[in-house]
Amino acid sequence: HARRVDGNQAAIVSAMRAAGASVELLFAVGHGCPDIIVCYRSILYFMEIKALLQSRLTAAEKRWHETWKGPVYIVTSIDEALKAIGAM
């Protein structure tokens, strides 16, 4: 089924790009894959965007996070996303 895009995604992506990051949208991949991948200062960051801090990961997202060998950031705001990549 189609994945729902959180309402704050466009603003977060726009702010990341304004800070000089490259952003690729991954939300359509599904299977628990994070919403975006960000490259900032030659470092890659996977990010799951949630509308609220209390939002829970789906079962597929939990499985993806558990099997991924690197960090995945869960962000709910522009400030959290920019802090995650060190742009703030």
Side-chain angles (χ1 to χ4, degrees), residues 62-70:
K62 285 180 187 175
R63 281 191 301 277
W64 197 95
H65 287 229
E66 289 168 357
T67 60
W68 186 248
K69 303 287 189 240

Side-chain angles (χ1 to χ4, degrees), residues 15-61:
M16 302 287 272
R17 288 178 174 154
S22 296
V23 181
E24 186 65 36
L25 306 177
L26 301 176
F27 66 90
V29 173
H31 308 288
C33 185
D35 294 317
I36 61 175
I37 186 170
V38 179
C39 184
Y40 185 70
R41 296 183 178 162
S42 301
I43 300 173
L44 297 176
Y45 302 86
F46 283 96
M47 293 190 182
E48 182 64 42
I49 298 171
K50 294 294 183 189
L52 301 170
L53 190 54
Q54 301 90 337
S55 296
R56 296 178 187 224
L57 295 175
T58 66
E61 289 167 347

Side-chain angles (χ1 to χ4, degrees), residues 68-80:
W68 186 248
K69 303 287 189 240
V72 181
Y73 299 88
I74 300 171
V75 300
T76 61
S77 68
I78 291 169
D79 285 351
E80 286 178 359

